[in-house]
């Protein structure tokens, strides 16, 4: 029986904090049963392991311990305040892409503001002012027009703006086309061939400081090779800048390191070692500070979306398991045909059979899995959608006027609500019916 328990856990454990402590128990996050959390906080419910989030941050920090570096966690992956605070306390900085994300960092960890980089192709004047006033580390600038705007705002506010050009290294990455960003045909960054001239033109503007060179080639990239190729090009630009008398202190490697959604046995430490050695090799000769912007790698596997089965429905040859979570809670399967492992919280005996796991939203695209072999599920059962900590809650919406899920953070032996479930009152709060007649 002990062996059997190990076999059950092996399929989902190791790189994930979710496991069945014994063959007879319900799925746990660390020491906490997901059944008890669902009872207490309701479903759909996002559950995260603080321990794993910190472990992943530490793995990153260790992998780059040999050089001056800073991990700037990509807030967009999961922007919950409690998670930002957790990471900031362990020395992380942040990669933000909006004024809203800046406010989140200020609310959760104001002491980390000088560890913030601001990325994004369309920063507004208001957002630039907000970030200049707050005193962030660096603006990752994505066009010459943006650099001009940044200079104008810095002059107006009488403060110097540190910038990096986000260069587009024209590197191909094998990932979903919606999240690949490093090719010339994409909207991101500045053509690396034009960057040198733009840096040169910035010299002499007393409101601008050429501080870094940045790249970001895409997301969910499993191989280290394209990261190395992009870094090599960035490093070459740093040398050209140096020859032109422009000393660059910072290289920002962006984010994008992928996880394995299919295999819980994936080894994050080995992956990071491979990634770090590709970057270090490409950065030969560069002695400045390396910034890293991981999002998914830090939080994805730490989180699960827990849902309750509402109905099991047979339509012809197909079986549909309808859950109380839907595409508004986790849009990745609908948007990117993404795979998320689905496991019963309390497995039942019986053979697995092919089912579609779907939500209640009025769209055929509202599915979590199609033709997936799952153990028997009955109405009232709980299921966990794994690896949902990144781009899950952060991409949730109120589509179909569904209040958003609650979030719980598990820390050692305790669990706390870090975001209460939305109510219908929240949903209607910002709306106006019309003028009184
Ligand atoms: N830095 C920049 C400039 C980015 O645009 C991104 C992600 C990151 C860092 C973090 O990338 P990560 O380490 O998380 O791969 N919603 C999609 C992913 C979109 C990624 C957008 N940019 C998904 O659910 O797969």
């Amino acid at each position: 029986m002990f062996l059997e328990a190990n076999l059950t856990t092996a399929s989902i454990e190791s790189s994930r904090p979710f496991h069945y402590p014994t063959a007879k128990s319900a799925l746990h996050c660390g020491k906490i049963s997901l059944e008890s959390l669902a009872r207490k906080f309701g479903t759909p419910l996002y559950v995260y392991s603080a321990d794993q989030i910190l472990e992943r941050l530490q793995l990153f920090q260790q992998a780059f311990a040999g050089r001056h570096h800073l991990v700037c966690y990509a807030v967009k992956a999961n922007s919950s305040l409690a998670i930002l605070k957790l990471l900031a306390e362990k020395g992380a900085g942040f990669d933000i892409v909006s004024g809203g994300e800046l406010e989140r960092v200020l609310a959760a960890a104001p002491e980390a503001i000088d560890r913030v980089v601001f990325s994004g192709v369309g920063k507004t004047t208001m957002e630039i002012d907000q970030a200049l006033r707050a005193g962030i580390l660096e603006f990752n600038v994505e066009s010459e027009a943006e650099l001009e705007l940044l200079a104008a705002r810095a002059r107006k506010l009488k403060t110097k703006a540190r910038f990096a050009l986000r260069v587009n290294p024209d590197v191909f990455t094998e990932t979903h086309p919606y999240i690949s960003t490093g090719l010339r045909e994409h909207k991101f960054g500045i053509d690396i061939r034009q960057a040198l001239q733009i840096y040169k033109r910035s010299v002499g503007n007393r409101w601008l400081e050429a501080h870094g060179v940045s790249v970001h080639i895409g997301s969910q990239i499993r191989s280290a090779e394209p990261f190395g190729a992009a870094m090599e090009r960035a490093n070459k630009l740093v040398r050209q800048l140096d020859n032109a008398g422009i000393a660059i202190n910072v290289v920002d490697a962006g984010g994008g390191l992928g996880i394995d959604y299919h295999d819980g046995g994936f080894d994050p430490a080995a992956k990071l070692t491979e990634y770090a050695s590709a970057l270090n090799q490409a950065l030969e000769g560069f002695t400045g500070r390396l910034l890293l912007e991981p999002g998914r790698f830090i939080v994805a596997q730490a989180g699960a979306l827990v849902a309750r089965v509402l109905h099991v429905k047979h339509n012809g040859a197909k079986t549909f398991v309808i859950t109380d979570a839907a595409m508004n809670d986790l849009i990745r399967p609908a948007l990117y045909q993404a795979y998320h492992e689905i496991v019963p919280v309390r497995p039942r005996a019986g053979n697995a059979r092919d089912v579609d796991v779907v939500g209640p939203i009025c769209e055929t695209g509202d599915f979590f899995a199609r033709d997936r072999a799952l153990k028997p599920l009955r109405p009232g059962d709980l299921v966990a959608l794994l690896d949902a900590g990144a781009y899950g809650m952060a991409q949730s919406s109120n589509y179909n006027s569904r209040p958003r899920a609650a979030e719980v953070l598990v820390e050692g032996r305790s669990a706390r609500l870090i975001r209460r479930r939305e109510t219908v009152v929240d949903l209607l709060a910002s709306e106006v019916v019309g003028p009184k007649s």
Side-chain angles (χ1 to χ4, degrees), residues 175-179 261-262 330-340 365 367-370 372:
T175 185
H176 192 279
Y178 287 7
I179 54 177
Y261 283 92
H262 290 267
L330 177 65
I331 202 173
R332 302 193 69 259
L335 194 54
Y336 319 109
Q337 294 76 48
Y339 179 94
H340 283 268
F367 63 86
F368 292 130
R370 285 180 154 159
R372 182 83 60 87

Side-chain angles (χ1 to χ4, degrees), residues 74 76 95 179 216 219 255-256 293-296 332 336 391 395:
K76 65 167 80 69
D95 166 51
I179 54 177
H216 170 76
S219 192
E293 302 173 359
R296 186 189 319 264
R332 302 193 69 259
Y336 319 109
Y391 306 107
Q395 286 189 284

